Amino acid sequence: MIFRKGELFCGPGGFSLGAKLARVIDKQGNEYKIEHEWANDIDDYAVQTYRENICPSRPESVIHGNVRDIDIESFAPIDAFSFGFPCNDFSLVGEHRGFDGEYGGLYTFGVKVLQHHQPKFFVAENVGGLQSANGGLAFAKILADLKGAGYKLTPHLYKFHEYGVPQKRKRIIIVGIRNDFGLEFKVPAPTHDGINTPFVSSYEALNSPPIPEDAFNNERTKHAAKVVEMLKHIPPGKNAWCEEIPETLRLNVKGARLSQIYKRLDPHQPAYTVTGSGGGGTHIYHWLEPRALTNRERARLQTFPDWYNFQGSKEQVRKQIGMAVPTLGAKIIFESILKTFAGIDYDFIDSKWQEALDQKQKLVNLSLESQLELEI
């Protein structure tokens, strides 16, 4: 069985590469897999990266443009859908910027895809902080809209280092299966516990095998001499505020001191979260060499293969890598979805959220009713 997949906010293709790599064969020998059908993103360089690596023979299937300006209903039919919706401005209370702001209401375009195309399943992704936004009301509202499109939902906060990703990255993933299938997705059980199965370390990620010098996106950052000297005094796992740094080399910063500023990796542990933006001190730093990681090294931490060629300038590539879904994490989730459809058992854990979300939904309903009374 082939599931044709569409995607909004596709970025450079972390979700889609994981989907393409997922393969399941049932007891009768039938193969279940996912193939790219169409995608969209507003970032021109991310679109170029996606075309280059995911669908080089069909570049026209990746539409560059603002999701507000595209005709969703004109897209080809799909069986699967994924979207990493931005949620910066979403708010259910106060000024309601979530619906009218630049980013907050963008999840509704994913809902429109579900309503019109009715794919068999979808996967949505967002930052872990979404669950607590507006006291959890924003998350409950989003889930209510997704559920209302006709889907059985399984939301979960995934800690990707527990699934073999060499990076401590937490993301909310919502899997929805269309109601008429009568299936329920189960959260795949973690594969690494840090004890019986050690987490994959940053050392292993960057050195097994070593990255070729001529690999794509492997340019090094040019640092000021003072930065290089300061890094030499920072032990692995520590940052710019450690006492080992001589007074003359310390940063002159007042106020909050962010823990990831000039933080060097601990080679024995997964990396801290790879980000896509930020100035000096936010690029993730090697545990041995006094330098920032290259984009290819950051891509390794996001489990992109070395052949994956990101398009654009060094900073544009950094942005794409930092915003992506780790390929390995996506693959594990998509494989579990395929097993659900194929009727194949797999190890899973129970989601702890449903009861709490039901309570939040009651608060959302009460809030909306109060708003309606005020408007009347």
Side-chain angles (χ1 to χ4, degrees), residues 219-249:
E219 306 90 345
R220 295 198 176 191
T221 298
K222 295 180 180 179
H223 298 296
K226 184 177 179 179
V227 170
V228 173
E229 193 61 30
M230 179 184 65
L231 286 170
K232 290 179 179 179
H233 288 86
I234 300 176
K238 292 192 176 183
N239 59 27
W241 320 120
C242 69
E243 295 181 356
E244 288 86 344
I245 302 174
E247 289 283 351
T248 56
L249 295 174

Side-chain angles (χ1 to χ4, degrees), residues 46-79:
V47 167
Q48 290 181 37
T49 297
Y50 194 105
R51 289 170 175 166
E52 170 80 12
N53 297 278
I54 301 297
C55 54
S57 63
R58 295 183 57 216
E60 74 285 350
S61 66
V62 189
I63 298 90
H64 170 234
N66 192 318
V67 69
R68 299 179 178 90
D69 301 327
I70 61 177
D71 183 6
I72 288 173
E73 296 184 3
S74 69
F75 290 178
I78 52 174
D79 308 295

Side-chain angles (χ1 to χ4, degrees), residues 18-160:
K20 285 184 67 174
L21 295 174
R23 292 283 193 279
V24 165
I25 298 177
D26 66 16
K27 294 179 181 178
Q28 289 73 41
N30 301 309
E31 184 180 37
Y32 290 70
K33 62 182 181 179
I34 302 164
E35 292 185 356
H36 162 80
E37 184 62 37
W38 51 258
N40 161 257
D41 201 276
I42 196 171
D43 187 313
D44 182 39
Y45 291 103
V47 167
Q48 290 181 37
T49 297
Y50 194 105
R51 289 170 175 166
E52 170 80 12
N53 297 278
I54 301 297
C55 54
S57 63
R58 295 183 57 216
E60 74 285 350
S61 66
V62 189
I63 298 90
H64 170 234
N66 192 318
V67 69
R68 299 179 178 90
D69 301 327
I70 61 177
D71 183 6
I72 288 173
E73 296 184 3
S74 69
F75 290 178
I78 52 174
D79 308 295
F81 177 56
S82 60
F83 64 120
F85 58 98
C87 207
N88 308 50
D89 293 330
F90 193 91
S91 176
L92 189 64
V93 296
E95 299 178 356
H96 306 285
R97 289 189 66 237
F99 294 105
D100 301 321
E102 183 180 359
Y103 300 107
L106 293 180
Y107 84 93
T108 61
F109 290 92
V111 176
K112 290 178 181 178
V113 170
L114 298 177
Q115 291 172 333
H116 179 77
H117 289 282
Q118 285 287 288
K120 295 179 174 67
F121 72 84
F122 76 85
V123 184
E125 176 262 353
N126 205 278
V127 295
L130 175 62
Q131 63 180 319
S132 58
N134 303 116
L137 296 181
F139 189 33
K141 168 61 176 168
I142 291 171
L143 291 177
D145 288 347
L146 295 171
K147 182 178 180 180
Y151 292 83
K152 173 69 175 178
L153 307 182
T154 306
H156 185 68
L157 180 65
Y158 287 79
K159 300 175 182 179
F160 282 120

Side-chain angles (χ1 to χ4, degrees), residues 223 227 230-231 234 238-240 251 258-264 272 279-283 285:
H223 298 296
V227 170
M230 179 184 65
L231 286 170
I234 300 176
K238 292 192 176 183
N239 59 27
L251 300 179
L258 299 177
S259 64
Q260 293 190 4
I261 298 297
Y262 289 109
K263 184 175 182 179
R264 304 188 78 172
Y272 52 94
T282 63
H283 290 236
Y285 296 83

